[in-house]
Amino acid sequence: ARDKYRRYLRLQDFGITQNKTVLIPNEDGVEKEKKNLDTKFPIIMKTLRGSKGVGVLLIETERSLQSTVQLVYKIDPFADILLQEYIEVEFDVRCIVVNKEIVGAMKRPKIIDDFRSNVSQGSEPEEIKLTEVEEEAVLQAAKAVNGQWVGVDFMPAKNRDKDAPFIIEVNHSPGTEGINKVIKGDVNKIVLENLLDRDSWKRSATECGVLETL
């Protein structure tokens, strides 16, 4: 989940609805990947790692895209950049998932004169009731990254009762300040009680590495 592109590919393997995303591996790959994205401006640009809305830009023209990428690579020649389809919404939703259970959800209205909706950037969160379709998508996204405690962010579909939301993030280190403002109970306490429950520590072995025949 820490790597936004690996997370995108992982959720894609699970058939989870997401906005289209491409990876720019280097400065020379901008034009090709913009074409592969196959969407009109504006588009979203993100650094591969980041949090609290930092490193997320709205790019409105081809010229702006080229100059911004050049600037990023001048600062960090080894940077990895994502381009994403921009979907206009009035708000997104952050859900806190602990041990396969949604313990809280909040609506995050878009900040005035900004396209972002992060609480850390000034959005005022509100409580929201999820639909069954949204709950299923959130739990599936958490499961896809083997998340024990994650924040799953999504943009709601126009028909929330029937259509799956667009999953935009699975945050491996979700803050609790915003969610604690809108739900009953203390998310910090819920998280600690769940993670200190020894029954939740039982895990099956996960195979990793490469098997080679000599």
Side-chain angles (χ1 to χ4, degrees):
R2 183 169 177 263
D3 183 315
K4 290 180 172 64
Y5 192 62
R6 289 184 65 193
R7 182 265 308 157
Y8 171 77
L9 296 177
R10 180 71 173 172
L11 267 58
Q12 196 175 51
D13 288 341
F14 276 68
I16 295 173
T17 304
Q18 304 175 82
N19 47 345
K20 294 184 289 187
T21 301
V22 295
L23 174 68
I24 299 179
N26 52 58
E27 189 175 342
D28 295 331
V30 181
E31 187 173 339
K32 176 184 176 182
E33 295 307 329
K34 171 57 178 68
K35 185 176 180 180
N36 289 338
L37 189 62
D38 191 25
T39 190
K40 296 179 180 179
F41 287 100
I43 60 176
I44 300 294
M45 177 186 288
K46 293 181 178 179
T47 53
L48 204 59
R49 295 177 177 84
S51 62
K52 299 182 179 180
V54 178
V56 182
L57 303 170
L58 184 67
I59 305 296
E60 301 188 87
T61 65
E62 185 75 41
R63 180 174 293 180
S64 178
L65 172 62
Q66 295 287 347
S67 60
T68 305
V69 170
Q70 288 172 0
L71 176 61
V72 170
Y73 279 115
K74 184 175 180 62
I75 296 171
D76 181 1
F78 303 102
D80 290 304
I81 301 172
L82 296 181
L83 298 182
Q84 288 187 326
E85 170 190 19
Y86 175 67
I87 300 174
E88 179 71 35
V89 291
E90 293 301 317
F91 67 91
D92 67 19
V93 178
R94 157 66 61 89
C95 302
I96 300 296
V97 180
V98 182
N99 286 339
K100 304 177 183 178
E101 179 184 354
I102 299 172
V103 300
M106 63 177 174
K107 173 182 176 180
R108 305 187 300 184
K110 189 166 63 173
I111 304 165
I112 297 175
D113 296 328
D114 200 337
F115 68 98
R116 295 171 296 179
S117 56
N118 304 75
V119 173
S120 56
Q121 297 295 333
S123 177
E124 290 293 333
E126 305 169 16
E127 191 171 7
I128 187 171
K129 182 175 176 56
L130 303 182
T131 67
E132 290 184 6
V133 175
E134 289 169 344
E135 287 182 355
E136 182 180 350
V138 166
L139 292 175
Q140 191 177 23
K143 180 182 179 181
V145 299
N146 295 321
Q148 292 302 115
W149 170 27
V150 292
V152 179
D153 301 341
F154 70 81
M155 293 182 293
K158 290 183 179 179
N159 189 332
R160 293 179 56 205
D161 291 311
K162 292 185 178 180
D163 298 328
F166 287 83
I167 301 295
I168 53 177
E169 190 79 75
V170 182
N171 195 313
H172 71 293
S173 57
T176 57
E177 181 181 358
I179 200 80
N180 276 331
K181 290 181 179 179
V182 299
I183 71 166
K184 296 177 181 178
D186 184 346
V187 172
N188 300 314
K189 184 178 179 181
I190 294 171
V191 170
L192 286 173
E193 287 177 347
N194 273 273
L195 297 183
L196 291 175
D197 179 2
R198 286 184 177 272
D199 288 338
S200 72
W201 295 5
K202 297 176 182 177
R203 299 283 181 270
S204 57
T206 301
E207 187 174 304
C208 64
V210 179
L211 181 64
E212 293 184 347
T213 302
L214 303 178

